[in-house]
């Protein structure tokens, strides 16, 4: 088959019809009698141009790959050429239908959504093409009349004129910057890079279609020259690159392109049996499940694929969660990083984090070289070239393991390929891209590039410290502790206010209770004094002849304190006389009867004592007749302790208590009468 003719960029307009769904409205840049959709079997372009979830944003972009069959020339002549891959970029835009100056009969909804699609064979120019396409799409919508296609036609003409040779020589890297890729995925960025070489089934998922596509292009751009050599990626049957590539017979080390070609770069993970689809709609799942499709790198915004991830992917990259999930056990083992790999990636991640600028993630805040896009890209290029050289030296060591030791490199100890993790190398040697590279490269590449890992060496204490520091930084403890500290301080302040308020309330209640108790005590004292004075006044008035006039005056008179004091003194005198009579009687009994040891008689009854006291004779002892009467009573058993006067003292105490009780009853009766 002949080589395909130069591809002329095409433009098409995709509309979302309310009844028929997405469909192509216009083709711009093709002959009038040709239909690129039918000629190239591009029936899925409407679904690729309007990705799932595009209606949720005003503007959205999608990137996809197509098979260009080139069955006709621009003159309309039929020809048989080798199919190749072309790439489409779609700018999806929507606006309110009420703003249109002219509406077709198919406009029945409140919003109009269309996509302008540019198809080119140069994905390396997507960076500039995206910006141009966005401006043109907005300008076309600003006309508010979709019948006018002049701005789109002029744009298609300019796309063909702008293709120059100098542009082909320039690598225009685009999409999500490598700084953001490393900042988000950290050491897993190297896992994704090595995963790309193993050619598994990789699925990138995210809510934003443009981000999903850009991450994939950023990843494959880490292999030097791969973005400009994707002509076989749209279909698993194409293998043009492997069939035409030849081993270079010379090299110019001063020429970077010549050096890379001699080393077998770019590696080609998208050959026979492989597919690259930055955005792949559900309508393309038959390609992914085809038996001829052994590996692929695709992107999707539909969660249905996530629900069946075990069926459709070996590796899932979730951009919404920034996670890399490896479901294939063999791939999980092979993609583990060695100590040298981890040390190298930690260094690269640290260089990005130290120069990170939230306001402008694409460039270092120091505006220096370390941590920049070029720095990251050249670091990965150095890593890849060292890997290829180390693999060739491993083959050389295997072939000369029993040969002359002098034939080995003097400054290289052992097998440097083990620094890249032996299970990974074993899995890589089984892939198609390794077989193609090994077949088309010289066996002594290590004579040009030193076969040594960029961060060779075993695990050191510095590696452990750096890894721990990185893991602690990933926890964002400062942010979490800051939030926790603010919450705790707020809670402590609130608790302090509540506790202070509670204590203040308790002390206030205590003071109120004390004040109330003090008032009650004062009132009780005042009431007692008033009652006592009233009682004394009532007693003095009862001993005199009263008349209605004097009685009325007595009730209203104030208490006489001196009279109350005289009454108390008289009561004290009577008590003293009473006690003296008891004391004399007890002394006489001790001298007469108790000293001789005779049985003691009972003490006088309290009733007789009360009678004696009532007679008014102080200190008079009971008569002999009363003693004889007491003595004639039945005798009781007594103890010698009675001789000590204990019984007499108890009788005196009982009599005093009865007198006090009688006085209290009398006073209460007087107060009641006075009241």
């Amino acid at each position: 088959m002949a080589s395909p003719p130069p591809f002329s960029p095409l433009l098409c307009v995709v509309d979302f019809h309310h009844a028929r769904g997405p469909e192509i409205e216009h083709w711009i840049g093709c002959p009038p009698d040709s239909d690129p959709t039918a000629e190239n079997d591009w029936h899925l372009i409407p679904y690729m141009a309007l990705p799932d979830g595009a209606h949720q944003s005003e503007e959205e972009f999608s990137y996809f790959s197509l098979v260009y069959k080139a069955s006709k020339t621009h003159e309309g002549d039929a020809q048989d050429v080798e199919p190749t891959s072309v790439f489409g970029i779609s700018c999806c835009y929507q606006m309110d239908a009420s703003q249109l100056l002219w509406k077709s009969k198919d406009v029945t909804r409140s919003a109009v959504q269309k996509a302008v699609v540019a198809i080119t064979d140069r994905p390396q120019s997507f960076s500039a093409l995206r910006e141009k396409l966005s401006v043109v799409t907005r300008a076309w919508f600003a006309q508010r009349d979709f019948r006018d296609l002049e701005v789109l036609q002029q744009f298609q003409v300019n796309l063909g004129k702008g293709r120059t040779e100098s542009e082909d020589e320039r690598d225009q890297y685009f999409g999500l910057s490598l700084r953001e890729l490393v900042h988000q995925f950290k050491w897993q960025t190297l896992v994704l890079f090595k995963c790309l070489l193993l050619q598994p089934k990789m699925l990138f998922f995210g809510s934003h279609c443009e981000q999903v596509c850009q991450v994939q292009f950023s990843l494959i751009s880490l292999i030097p020259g791969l973005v400009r050599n994707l002509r076989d990626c749209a279909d698993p049957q194409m293998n043009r690159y492997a069939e035409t590539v030849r081993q270079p017979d010379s090299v110019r080390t001063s020429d970077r392109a010549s050096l890379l070609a001699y080393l077998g770069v770019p590696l080609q993970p998208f050959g026979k049996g492989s597919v690259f689809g930055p955005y792949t709609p559900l309508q393309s799942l038959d390609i992914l499940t085809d038996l001829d499709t052994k590996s692929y790198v695709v992107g999707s915004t539909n969660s249905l694929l996530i629900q069946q991830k075990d069926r459709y992917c070996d590796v899932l990259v979730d951009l919404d969660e920034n996670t890399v999930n490896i479901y294939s056990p063999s791939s999980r083992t092979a993609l583990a990083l060695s100590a040298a790999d981890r040390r190298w990636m930690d260094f690269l991640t640290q260089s990005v984090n130290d120069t990170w600028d939230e306001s402008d993630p694409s460039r270092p805040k120091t505006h220096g070289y370390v941590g920049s896009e070029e720095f990251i890209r050249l670091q990965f290029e150095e890593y890849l070239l060292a890997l290829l050289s180390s693999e060739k030296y491993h083959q050389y060591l295997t072939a000369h393991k029993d040969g002359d030791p002098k034939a080995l490199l003097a400054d290289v100890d052992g097998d440097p390929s083990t620094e890249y993790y032996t299970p990974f190398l074993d899995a890589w040697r089984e892939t198609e891209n390794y077989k193609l590279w090994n077949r088309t490269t010289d066996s002594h590449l290590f004579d040009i590039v030193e076969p040594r890992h960029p961060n060779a060496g075993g695990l050191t204490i510095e590696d452990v410290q750096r890894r721990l520091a990185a893991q602690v930084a990933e926890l964002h403890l400062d942010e979490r502790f800051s939030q926790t500290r603010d919450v705790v301080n707020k809670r402590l302040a609130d608790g302090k206010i509540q506790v202070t308020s509670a204590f203040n309330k308790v002390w206030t209640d205590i003071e109120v209770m004390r004040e109330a108790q003090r008032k009650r005590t004062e009132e009780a004292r005042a009431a007692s004094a008033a009652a006592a004075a009233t009682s004394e006044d009532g007693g003095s008035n009862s001993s005199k002849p009263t008349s209605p006039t004097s009685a009325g005056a007595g009730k209203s008179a104030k208490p006489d304190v001196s009279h109350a004091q005289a009454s108390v003194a008289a009561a004290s005198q009577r008590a003293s006389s009473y006690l003296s009579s008891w004391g004399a009687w007890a002394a006489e009994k001790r001298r007469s009867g108790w000293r001789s040891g005779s049985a003691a008689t009972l003490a006088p009854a309290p009733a007789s004592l009360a009678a004696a006291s009532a007679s008014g004779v102080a200190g008079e002892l009971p008569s002999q007749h009363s003693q004889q009467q007491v003595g004639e009573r039945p005798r009781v058993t007594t103890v010698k302790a009675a001789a000590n006067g204990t019984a007499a003292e108890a009788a005196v105490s009982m009599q005093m208590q009865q007198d006090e009780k009688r006085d209290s009853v009398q006073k209460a009766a007087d107060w009641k009468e006075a009241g």
Side-chain angles (χ1 to χ4, degrees), residues 82-299:
E82 184 75 21
T84 186
S85 299
V86 293
F87 300 87
I89 176 173
S90 167
C91 178
C92 179
Y93 201 81
Q94 64 178 345
M95 67 179 300
D96 194 343
S98 61
Q99 300 178 3
L100 295 177
L101 299 178
W102 177 84
K103 295 182 182 180
S104 67
K105 61 180 181 179
D106 294 330
V107 178
T108 59
R109 297 189 177 184
S110 60
V112 178
Q113 187 179 40
K114 294 180 182 292
V116 179
V117 182
I119 301 176
T120 179
D121 61 342
R122 301 182 180 184
Q124 67 270 18
S125 64
F126 270 4
S127 178
L129 181 58
R130 177 200 179 279
E131 300 301 325
K132 296 177 182 178
L133 185 61
S134 177
V135 173
V136 170
T137 303
R138 289 176 177 269
W140 186 49
F141 270 78
Q143 296 177 159
R144 297 187 292 173
D145 187 352
F146 297 125
R147 295 174 299 178
D148 188 359
L149 302 176
E150 182 179 359
V151 63
L152 300 181
Q153 294 171 351
Q154 189 62 37
F155 176 58
Q156 190 276 331
V157 173
N158 292 335
L159 286 180
K161 293 181 178 179
R163 298 162 65 88
T164 60
E165 293 299 327
S166 60
E167 182 182 0
D168 289 344
E169 297 298 329
R170 222 173 36 243
D171 284 334
Q172 297 183 358
Y173 298 109
F174 56 89
L176 184 67
S177 68
L178 292 179
R179 284 176 52 82
E180 294 183 44
L181 185 66
V182 174
H183 183 72
Q184 291 178 1
F185 290 99
K186 300 177 177 60
W187 59 271
Q188 289 183 319
T189 306
L190 182 57
V191 174
L192 293 177
F193 178 76
K194 299 177 77 171
C195 185
L196 185 63
L197 300 181
L198 296 184
Q199 296 182 250
K201 295 180 179 180
M202 297 181 65
L203 173 62
F204 288 77
F205 172 79
S207 302
H208 300 286
C209 183
E210 184 179 17
Q211 183 188 23
V212 171
C213 299
Q214 289 175 344
V215 167
Q216 296 172 72
F217 273 108
S218 297
L219 179 61
I220 66 174
S221 69
L222 293 177
I223 299 179
L226 180 58
V227 176
R228 296 191 293 113
N229 290 273
L230 294 174
R231 59 185 180 185
D232 298 330
C233 71
D235 190 276
Q237 301 297 330
M238 293 190 294
N239 199 29
R240 181 71 176 175
Y241 180 85
E243 295 173 355
T244 57
V245 67
R246 297 290 182 268
Q247 178 177 340
D249 53 4
S250 63
V251 58
R252 295 190 303 274
T253 56
S254 59
D255 185 358
R256 178 173 176 270
S258 176
L259 177 61
L260 293 178
Y262 187 79
L263 294 174
V265 179
L267 300 178
Q268 188 53 262
F270 304 113
K272 187 174 180 61
S274 299
V275 175
F276 174 50
Y279 175 71
T280 303
L282 294 180
Q283 290 76 8
S284 300
L285 290 182
D286 56 338
I287 300 178
L288 304 183
T289 56
D290 191 272
L291 295 178
D292 295 332
T293 305
K294 306 299 182 183
S295 67
Y296 50 74
V297 177
V298 296

Side-chain angles (χ1 to χ4, degrees), residues 384-605:
L384 178 61
L385 297 183
L387 168 63
L388 301 179
S389 178
S390 299
E391 175 60 20
K392 288 294 185 179
Y393 190 66
H394 168 76
Q395 296 177 2
Y396 181 81
L397 290 177
T398 304
H400 298 81
K401 59 182 178 180
D402 297 330
D404 187 4
K406 296 182 179 180
L408 305 179
L409 297 179
D411 55 345
V412 177
D413 296 333
D415 187 356
S417 65
T418 57
E419 299 285 355
Y420 294 91
Y421 197 53
T422 303
F424 163 74
L425 295 176
D426 294 338
W428 181 43
R429 295 180 184 118
E430 301 297 327
T431 62
E432 294 296 328
N433 73 85
Y434 175 87
K435 296 175 181 178
L436 177 62
W437 167 80
N438 193 40
R439 176 170 57 84
T440 58
T441 53
D442 189 80
S443 60
H444 285 67
L445 296 182
F446 52 84
D447 290 335
I448 299 177
V449 177
E450 183 181 11
R452 185 188 302 274
H453 194 287
N455 285 79
L459 186 65
T460 61
I461 187 63
E462 289 80 6
D463 298 333
V464 177
Q465 293 175 348
R466 182 171 55 253
R467 192 169 302 176
L468 289 176
Q471 292 177 351
V472 171
E474 292 177 3
L475 296 176
H476 302 287
L477 294 180
D478 294 339
E479 301 176 3
R480 297 181 181 180
F481 286 162
S482 177
Q483 298 176 358
T484 304
R485 183 170 57 252
D486 295 341
V487 173
V488 171
N489 291 338
K490 183 178 179 180
R491 293 293 182 269
L492 289 177
D494 296 342
K496 182 179 179 181
I497 294 174
Q498 295 176 1
V499 171
T500 303
S501 302
F503 273 109
N504 292 338
K505 187 176 184 301
V506 170
W507 285 116
T508 303
D509 294 342
I510 292 176
E511 291 296 330
V512 170
M513 293 174 61
R514 292 177 62 184
E515 182 67 19
Q517 182 69 21
R518 185 182 64 80
K519 289 182 179 180
R520 286 196 299 269
T521 304
E522 291 179 354
E523 292 175 357
R525 289 178 180 176
S528 299
T534 304
S535 175
E536 293 295 335
D537 290 343
S540 62
N541 291 335
S542 63
S543 62
K544 298 179 180 180
T546 60
S547 64
T549 305
S550 61
K555 291 183 179 179
S556 61
K558 294 182 178 179
D560 189 355
V561 178
S562 60
H563 185 72
Q565 292 177 351
S567 299
V568 172
S572 299
Q573 185 177 3
R574 289 195 300 270
S576 299
S577 301
Y578 180 79
L579 292 175
S580 299
S581 63
W582 269 102
W585 177 81
E588 181 65 23
K589 293 299 291 183
R590 283 196 299 270
R591 285 193 301 268
S592 61
W594 294 342
R595 184 181 300 119
S596 62
S598 60
T601 60
L602 292 175

Side-chain angles (χ1 to χ4, degrees), residues 599-616:
T601 60
L602 292 175
S608 62
L609 293 177
S613 175
S615 64

